[in-house]
Amino acid sequence: MDSSLSPTPFDHQNTEPKKTFTTSLIPLRSNHFKEDTYFVSELKPSEAKSLHDLKHKLSTSSLAASSSMWGVPLIGGDDRADVILLKFLRARDFKVGDSLRMLEKCLEWREEFKTEKLTEEDLGFKDLEGRVAYMRGYDKEGHPVCYNAYGVFKEREMYERVFGDEEKINKFLRWRVQVLERGVKLLHFKPGGVNSIIQVTDLKDMPKRELRVASNLILSLFQDNYPEMVATKEEERKKKTVGAEVVIGAEETVYWEAMVSATDGDEYAYVLPGAARELATTIPFLTHRTKSKFVISKEGNAAETLYKFIRPEDIPVQYGGLSRPTESQNGPPKPASEFSIKGGEKVNIQIEGIEGGATISWDIVVGGWDLEYTAEFVPNAEEGYAIVVEKPRRMKASDEAVCNSFTTGEAGKLSISVDNSLSRKKKVAAYHYTVRKSTTAV
């Protein structure tokens, strides 16, 4: 049986000799996304009228009999239908005629693409799952998170296997839609509920020119068929130009599909390392509305960016989190404790109350490490000697979370140390642990 112990406060040590001080966890600034509630009562009179008119026109259209989307009947008074219809209306600035045409084309495409059964298909891309496009965890507001990383295609063999001809491209396109459909199934489609997805896009090593065709196809499908499926940030919404559309006019910008998703709606996305130069090239072609959709992470700063919106236990280890693919099969992740380390500080985490014979397992990560890490077990007995569990080692900036365990021979505490004394940079960090008591009878 697992049991968790509460650690004592952190011991922050200044680099000046003979000067120490103790403090509690430093709270990290938290940002959240705010999406529309989709309550009809909160609509402007003109917007409510557009929704009423769209329902009426849909009920008399040739597709009325088959107007169902994501398991929600669009005709019949279901409040989930209001959420979906409002997405199409907002995507077309509440212009009923344009919204209806978009909706009808989407219904036709879903029938032709057989999207309702797509999530259960085996498309033969098992090796891409968890690497290229995948759903993993939720943000702090409960939005499902989709990660996108196309750096694996810099290898020519992998590129040719997936994008070598038109048939392969179409198969990949079907798989990419499958990933998004699985994410959409996690949405509530309820007024006041979670009705959009968070996208995290990693542009590092992405072969932009080679992926031009696939990116354009994905962009086109997402624009036309998944309006407002990505969450938006409350502070930015007030600054947006309603109805603005994205103009992608340069060769360097065609690969922005995973960030832009449905460019006519209210989207928001994180962009991980490697994006700064590309965004600088792209920015002249983007409207203010579109620019406000991006959070750009600087090189080596992914963890600090993502921690503001997603809890570390839900962030993949390659981005400075604690989530590993195999752990998702064992139920919800164990909540992590977050803290920050100032430049010039050393932090000691003391986990006390560990009984003799117990096994303690822990994971710890510091965003952009570049510091020294060590762990030791200190017995409670005065005559006991500290046991070095992990020798001091310099962690590289690219290192993922440390995962380790130790079985005690006697009661004591585990002391985990991260030494940022040689850096001036403040860093975010997180850890979690479990203690399994011994089952051996005494």
Side-chain angles (χ1 to χ4, degrees):
M1 179 178 178
D2 290 348
S3 62
S4 297
L5 307 177
S6 298
T8 58
F10 288 84
D11 177 21
H12 290 253
Q13 297 181 349
N14 191 289
T15 53
E16 296 179 19
K18 300 181 181 179
K19 183 178 180 181
T20 62
F21 58 91
T22 302
T23 183
S24 59
L25 288 177
I26 300 175
L28 299 179
R29 177 173 174 269
S30 178
N31 288 0
H32 299 283
F33 289 118
K34 177 72 173 180
E35 61 177 310
D36 292 292
T37 62
Y38 292 96
F39 286 112
V40 176
S41 60
E42 296 181 1
L43 295 176
K44 298 176 182 178
S46 60
E47 295 172 342
K49 183 178 185 304
S50 293
L51 177 60
H52 176 272
D53 291 348
L54 179 59
K55 289 180 178 179
H56 175 71
K57 288 182 177 294
L58 181 61
S59 67
T60 58
S61 76
S62 59
L63 295 174
S66 59
S67 57
S68 175
M69 196 174 291
W70 298 300
V72 178
L74 301 182
I75 299 175
D78 193 322
D79 59 0
R80 294 177 299 167
D82 289 345
V83 173
I84 295 175
L85 295 177
L86 282 169
K87 287 180 179 291
F88 283 88
L89 283 167
R90 290 193 171 105
R92 290 295 179 262
D93 197 18
F94 283 88
K95 295 177 181 178
V96 177
D98 293 345
S99 301
L100 180 63
R101 282 189 289 274
M102 183 184 186
L103 180 57
E104 289 177 333
K105 289 181 180 179
C106 179
L107 288 168
E108 291 172 354
W109 171 78
R110 292 184 66 81
E111 178 66 26
E112 180 182 343
F113 212 76
K114 301 186 185 305
T115 55
E116 296 301 327
K117 298 180 180 179
L118 181 59
T119 56
E120 304 304 322
E121 279 189 42
D122 182 359
L123 298 173
F125 287 117
K126 293 293 184 183
D127 58 329
L128 300 187
E129 294 180 4
R131 298 176 65 194
V132 174
Y134 53 97
M135 303 301 302
R136 177 80 66 81
Y138 301 83
D139 77 347
K140 293 178 180 179
E141 297 297 300
H143 298 101
V145 181
C146 181
Y147 292 86
N148 309 274
Y150 297 105
V152 297
F153 297 120
K154 68 178 180 179
E155 299 176 6
R156 193 66 190 177
E157 182 179 347
M158 174 68 81
Y159 173 81
E160 290 294 339
R161 183 171 71 82
V162 178
F163 301 108
D165 55 44
E166 185 177 354
E167 182 180 351
K168 291 178 179 178
I169 291 176
N170 288 333
K171 187 177 181 181
F172 175 82
L173 184 64
R174 188 166 181 79
W175 175 78
R176 184 61 188 85
V177 171
Q178 181 187 65
V179 173
L180 184 57
E181 282 288 321
R182 288 172 175 168
V184 172
K185 284 183 176 294
L186 300 174
L187 302 181
H188 299 165
F189 290 118
K190 294 284 288 184
V194 173
N195 300 305
S196 54
I197 297 170
I198 296 296
Q199 297 276 359
V200 178
T201 299
D202 185 352
L203 299 181
K204 186 175 182 181
D205 297 325
M206 179 180 175
K208 297 178 287 295
R209 293 182 182 277
E210 290 83 348
L211 293 181
R212 184 182 297 115
V213 173
S215 294
N216 275 329
L217 290 171
I218 293 172
L219 173 58
S220 178
L221 280 183
F222 284 9
Q223 283 179 318
D224 296 339
N225 303 293
Y226 297 92
E228 293 203 39
M229 285 300 176
V230 186
T232 188
K233 189 179 178 184
E234 182 176 20
E235 298 93 313
E236 301 293 347
R237 280 178 50 79
K238 299 173 184 177
K239 306 175 186 176
K240 290 181 179 178
T241 304
V242 178
E245 299 205 12
V246 176
V247 178
I248 299 181
E251 289 186 351
E252 292 85 352
T253 67
V254 297
Y255 58 89
W256 285 73
E257 57 84 13
M259 294 171 295
V260 178
S261 280
T263 56
D264 296 317
D266 289 325
E267 310 92 32
Y268 209 71
Y270 309 109
V271 187
L272 296 182
R277 184 182 71 258
E278 287 83 351
L279 185 62
T281 302
T282 308
I283 217 75
F285 302 97
L286 301 182
T287 64
H288 177 81
R289 176 183 175 90
T290 304
K291 295 174 192 175
S292 68
K293 300 169 187 176
F294 304 124
V295 172
I296 306 299
S297 172
K298 296 179 181 178
E299 189 72 37
N301 208 37
E304 183 175 348
T305 301
L306 294 179
Y307 277 29
K308 295 176 183 177
F309 309 98
I310 308 172
R311 290 196 55 79
E313 66 267 22
D314 284 320
I315 299 173
V317 290
Q318 63 266 36
Y319 300 129
L322 298 171
S323 176
R324 293 181 169 84
T326 54
E327 293 176 348
S328 62
Q329 303 171 5
N330 301 322
K334 180 175 176 57
S337 297
E338 300 178 48
F339 62 100
S340 62
I341 313 170
K342 293 180 180 179
E345 284 189 337
K346 179 179 180 180
V347 175
N348 292 316
I349 304 171
Q350 307 287 336
I351 302 175
E352 300 182 328
I354 304 174
E355 299 177 358
T359 298
I360 180 169
S361 302
W362 70 96
D363 295 79
I364 184 170
V365 66
V366 178
W369 288 85
D370 193 25
L371 47 69
E372 188 176 90
Y373 159 80
T374 187
E376 66 176 13
F377 179 77
V378 183
N380 289 341
E382 293 184 4
E383 67 277 9
Y385 292 93
I387 301 171
V388 177
V389 179
E390 292 193 87
K391 296 180 180 179
R393 54 171 162 152
R394 191 75 186 174
M395 304 298 294
K396 300 191 296 293
S398 59
D399 283 341
E400 296 180 354
V402 168
C403 178
N404 205 349
S405 62
F406 177 73
T407 301
T408 67
E410 55 186 312
K413 65 181 180 181
L414 182 72
S415 178
I416 302 173
S417 174
V418 283
D419 189 348
N420 198 34
S421 300
L422 300 181
S423 173
R424 295 181 179 180
K425 182 180 179 182
K426 180 180 177 181
K427 301 170 183 177
V428 297
Y431 74 99
H432 56 197
Y433 69 94
T434 58
V435 177
R436 181 175 291 108
K437 296 182 179 180
S438 173
T439 56
T440 304
V442 179

